[in-house]
Amino acid sequence: MHPTSQSLQEYTEVATQYDAIRKLLQAPAPQHTVQMLARVGYTMVGEARVGPAPRRGLSALIAEPDTRPAQKRKSATAHDRW
């Protein structure tokens, strides 16, 4: 699923797309509100289906707790955590 909710924002810059989506979905304002719009399916390149995007494993996101005494730890920055 790939959300495309930006086109549902009520900004002047996307007013044309917003109106087109509401018309396509037969959801006229103010009686109806489209809260989420998403593309569901698989990406194709020619006849071939594109595989999933590479993902980091859970261990890349969660660090083991540092059990050393506080005076021996270095202060972590946001860069160190990634």
Side-chain angles (χ1 to χ4, degrees), residues 20-48:
I21 288 167
R22 294 180 78 91
K23 186 176 181 180
L24 177 71
L25 297 175
Q26 299 176 0
Q31 300 95 333
H32 302 283
T33 301
V34 180
Q35 295 184 357
M36 182 175 182
L37 184 66
R39 176 181 57 84
V40 179
Y42 298 100
T43 303
M44 303 293 286
V45 174
E47 298 287 322

